C-alpha cells in the first residue's frame, strides 16, 4: 500500500527509504541466488549429458574419417584409369559376355545331342561289366 510521502516527516521518509533499500537488496540477493542455482543446474546437466552426447559424436567422426579414407582410395584408383584402360576393360567384358553366350549355346547343343543319355548308357555298361568281372573272379 503506497504511503503518502507528502505528510511524512524527514525521519519517517528516511525510515521508508531504508526499508525500500533493504527490500531491494533482499530481492537482489534472491535473484543472485536463483541465477547461481540455475547455473549450477545447467553445469550439472552438462556434466551428465555431454559425455553421453560425445560418444555418438566421436563415433560419427570416426565413421566420417573412414569414409573419407575410402573415398580417397577410390579417387586414387579412379585417377589411375585412363581412357585406354577403360576401353580394354570394356572389350574384356564384351568378350566375356560373348564367350558366355557361346558356352550356353554349346551346352544346349550337347544337351540336345543326347550326351546325357550317352553318359547314363556308359554308366549302365560299367555296372554290367562290374557284374561280369565279379562273376569271373569268384
Amino acid at each position: 500500500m503506497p504511503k503518502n510521502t507528502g505528510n511524512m516527516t524527514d525521519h519517517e521518509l528516511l525510515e521508508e527509504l531504508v526499508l525500500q533499500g533493504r527490500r531491494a537488496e533482499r530481492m537482489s540477493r534472491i535473484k543472485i541466488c536463483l541465477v547461481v542455482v540455475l547455473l549450477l543446474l545447467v553445469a550439472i546437466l552438462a556434466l551428465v549429458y555431454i559425455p553421453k552426447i560425445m560418444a555418438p559424436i566421436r563415433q560419427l567422426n570416426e565413421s566420417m574419417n573412414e569414409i573419407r579414407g575410402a573415398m580417397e582410395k577410390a579417387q586414387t584408383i579412379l585417377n589411375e584409369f585412363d581412357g585406354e584402360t577403360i576401353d580394354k576393360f570394356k572389350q574384356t567384358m564384351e568378350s566375356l559376355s560373348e564367350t558366355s553366350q557361346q558356352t550356353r549355346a554349346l551346352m544346349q547343343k550337347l544337351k540336345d545331342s543326347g550326351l546325357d543319355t550317352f553318359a547314363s548308357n556308359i554308366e549302365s555298361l560299367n555296372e554290367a561289366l562290374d557284374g561280369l568281372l565279379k562273376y569271373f573272379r569268384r
Side-chain angles (χ1 to χ4, degrees), residues 46-138:
L47 289 173
V48 170
Y49 287 107
I50 285 179
K52 291 179 182 178
I53 293 171
M54 288 306 291
I57 289 174
R58 284 189 195 114
Q59 187 177 8
L60 179 65
N61 191 26
E62 290 172 3
S63 298
M64 292 302 291
N65 287 337
E66 289 177 14
I67 290 171
R68 188 176 298 119
M71 292 298 290
E72 288 173 359
K73 286 180 184 177
Q75 187 63 40
T76 56
I77 291 171
L78 289 175
N79 287 341
E80 292 177 3
F81 281 115
D82 56 353
E84 184 178 329
T85 307
I86 293 172
D87 288 340
K88 286 181 182 178
F89 182 72
K90 184 178 177 182
Q91 290 172 357
T92 303
M93 291 307 289
E94 288 172 353
S95 174
L96 185 62
S97 176
E98 240 177 78
T99 306
S100 173
Q101 289 174 357
Q102 289 173 355
T103 304
R104 281 189 196 129
L106 179 63
M107 292 301 287
Q108 187 62 38
K109 285 180 183 178
L110 286 174
K111 187 176 180 181
D112 292 342
S113 70
L115 188 63
D116 53 346
T117 56
F118 180 68
S120 67
N121 289 339
I122 288 178
E123 286 177 15
S124 299
L125 179 64
N126 191 19
E127 289 173 5
L129 287 175
D130 282 342
L132 284 176
L133 282 174
K134 286 179 185 177
Y135 178 73
F136 286 113
R137 283 189 186 164
R138 20 176 206 161

